[in-house]
Amino acid sequence: MSSPAAAPGSRILAQWNRLRRLPGGAWLFSRMLGRMVPYSGTIGARVLTLEPGHAVLALKDRRKVRNHLASVHAIALANLGELTSGLATLTGLAGGVRGIVTRIEVEYRKKARGPLRAEAHVEIPTVSAPIDHEAVAEIFDASNEIVAVVRAFWRLSPPG
């Protein structure tokens, strides 16, 4: 049976805990995460908080994530929400538990402009048989209004 240290989420969390206290550590961790998960890295999100079942990420509003309406692109928002909910989920799973997203739902509430903050609080299930698990991330603008809600549905399987 795999040890908890073998779980990807445990390795990510250990790296976060090692780097976050250093000057520029959160930035460096966010860059490393972007290299580990290349597609998610394209938006340039920065991890602000990471612990089992909880993640907070920030996204700057800049040209590379904008659409033709001068707001943050819908898929950049979906990417940010999936990454946030995924980090909150993966860092809480027991060693050897595998997970893959099987569905994503995004509710866009208003145009996203300016700096954004995504936050996920996820209840971590015990996985003794394959289960489907929903993880939700809310994305807020600078005035603390929700601009989007992302629901990622994970298929979690026990070791073996």
Side-chain angles (χ1 to χ4, degrees), residues 12-24:
I12 290 169
L13 190 58
Q15 196 70 335
W16 167 254
N17 287 329
R18 188 172 16 266
L19 292 173
R20 70 184 168 103
R21 292 179 177 90
L22 301 174

Side-chain angles (χ1 to χ4, degrees), residues 11-158:
R11 290 192 309 266
I12 290 169
L13 190 58
Q15 196 70 335
W16 167 254
N17 287 329
R18 188 172 16 266
L19 292 173
R20 70 184 168 103
R21 292 179 177 90
L22 301 174
W27 176 86
L28 178 60
F29 174 83
S30 299
R31 293 287 299 222
M32 289 172 51
L33 182 64
R35 291 184 62 93
M36 288 172 49
V37 188
Y39 182 75
S40 292
T42 63
I43 62 171
R46 184 169 176 194
V47 178
L48 303 176
T49 301
L50 183 58
E51 54 197 29
H54 181 225
V56 180
L57 277 70
L59 181 67
K60 290 182 181 177
D61 180 353
R62 57 198 188 290
R63 188 179 194 292
K64 104 183 219 181
V65 295
R66 283 190 156 220
N67 59 26
H68 65 290
L69 302 172
S71 60
V72 177
H73 195 283
I75 297 304
L77 294 171
N79 190 335
L80 177 63
E82 189 274 338
L83 179 60
T84 304
S85 67
L87 286 170
T89 299
L90 291 175
T91 56
L93 293 175
V97 172
R98 295 167 302 180
I100 187 166
V101 173
T102 59
R103 187 172 88 225
I104 295 177
E105 295 176 1
V106 185
E107 176 187 345
Y108 301 102
R109 295 193 179 172
K110 66 180 271 194
K111 286 183 183 176
R113 293 193 170 113
L116 302 175
R117 182 184 87 256
E119 188 157 355
H121 292 278
V122 177
E123 291 216 18
I124 305 300
T126 300
V127 182
S128 56
I131 62 169
D132 293 318
H133 183 70
E134 179 182 357
V136 178
E138 295 176 315
I139 303 173
F140 301 87
D141 63 13
S143 62
N144 213 33
E145 290 186 61
I146 295 176
V147 298
V149 178
V150 178
R151 290 176 177 78
F153 297 86
W154 288 79
R155 181 66 166 174
L156 303 175
S157 300

